[in-house]
Amino acid sequence: MRFLQGRIRDYPWGSRSAIPRLFSCPDAGEPVAELWFGAHPNAPSWVSSDPRMRAYQSDQCQPELMTLAELIEGDPHGMLGAEIVARYGPQLPFLLKLIAPNEPLSLQVHPSLAQAQEGFSHEEAAGISQQDPRRCFPDRNHKPEMVYALTTFEALVGFRSPRRILGVLTGLDCSIARDVRAIIAAQPNSDGVRQAFSQLISPDTRPAPEEVAELVAQCASRRETDSPSPRADALAVRIEDIYPGDPGVVASLLLNPVTLRPGEALFTPAGIVHAYISGLGVEVMAASDNVVRAGLTRKHVDVAQLLRITDTVAAPPIRIAAERISAVQSTFYVPVDDFELSIISLRHADEQVDIRGCGPRIILCLRGAVELWVGEEFFFINTGQAVFIAADDGAVQVRGAGELVQVESP
């Protein structure tokens, strides 16, 4: 077992306070958008046997320490187990993050495994370096993901039904609304939605900033009692304030708004357009950083790639309910093999209990103080500490009062 220090990702959309305050630290001077726990080459966690290591530390420079990627590379079968190595190669299959959007993330989609492999090979052949901002496929892996809300968490996920899109646009008397309504009314199916979405985000047909502003002004002026969707109107106004003139603001009206309460979870498979809006959550995904963007971003937008891999079939957001598998452990079972998330809630400090799981896993203590037995070894972990448990470390038992997050590959 090793203690982990997560790697801070200071993307501009991140909160300066949400993640530091979770671990009783002062607000950061820069955004702390994400805190990564894993072995992804872009930001592998630092590992140490020192029990004083914290999961969050503002000083990210630890050149004297080994990374989790290096630890696994030195003994892939011992760290991951023969079955994981056979399925995924000598790499940790999942990536655990804390994510804290303070403003909307980019409107984006993630590829399937086949699409990721094709996209990676194409960019490699084109000589696009890993550091090039045009790069959409830095690795060959798919990126299904799930977010577990720690606070109220808002998102846009997947396309509404054509009928509902027409309803949301009802009463908006401007050129964009009329164009989108005409396209979808002529083809009230996924093809019509794709055509409308393509027209909104493609360079040759996207609306001008003043057209976007006109639509948003009409959303803002509608009374709640007259609006088909006050929530969609308010969100468009909010996003326009951050990304003025961006056609992604209009596209938000085509998407399903989602609000998660603390303890609820949302799964997003490949091909689903989405954007996280605000909140604090635990995010777990296949070990990938492949992102294709459509808008609401200052980064590279690749419309052709996005349209190629986007699924425009109307579908409700996939909320995953946890299954209680023991008195202390609840597990979210997702329809992929790369990861599984469990929440361990401990209430009785004098009771030692088994934690179900196998193979390599990461355990993060969100609150409290817990005694942890791993095989024959004994450790304390407190709020703000994370550990990596190797496949050959043995069974895990805990005792204490607090809440833990465990991620593993089933």
Side-chain angles (χ1 to χ4, degrees), residues 151-234:
T151 67
T152 299
F153 197 93
E154 295 182 281
L156 291 165
V157 183
F159 287 96
R160 300 176 187 263
S161 69
R163 177 187 61 80
R164 184 58 181 147
I165 292 172
L166 292 173
V168 169
L169 297 175
T170 297
L172 297 176
D173 187 22
C174 57
S175 59
I176 302 176
R178 289 194 294 269
D179 289 348
V180 172
R181 282 200 303 263
I183 292 169
I184 296 178
Q187 292 188 91
N189 53 35
S190 62
D191 292 335
V193 173
R194 178 177 294 276
Q195 184 181 340
F197 184 55
S198 175
Q199 181 161 312
L200 286 174
I201 66 173
S202 296
D204 296 336
T205 57
R206 61 188 287 168
E210 56 269 21
E211 293 178 294
V212 176
E214 181 186 12
L215 178 140
V216 172
Q218 293 191 12
C219 289
S221 66
R222 290 202 285 197
R223 294 183 303 178
E224 286 194 11
T225 53
D226 297 333
S227 173
S229 178
R231 184 179 184 187
D233 288 346

Side-chain angles (χ1 to χ4, degrees), residues 3 6 24 67 99 152 168 175 188 199 207-208 232-233 261 289 314 330 351:
F3 289 88
S24 300
T67 68
I99 182 168
T152 299
V168 169
S175 59
Q199 181 161 312
D233 288 346
R261 294 189 297 264
D289 201 25
S330 297
E351 182 181 355

Side-chain angles (χ1 to χ4, degrees), residues 342-363:
S342 291
I343 305 299
I344 296 117
S345 298
L346 302 172
R347 300 287 183 268
H348 305 292
D350 58 347
E351 182 181 355
Q352 185 172 328
V353 295
D354 294 319
I355 297 303
R356 298 190 191 183
C358 60
R361 16 182 177 165
I362 291 175
I363 293 179

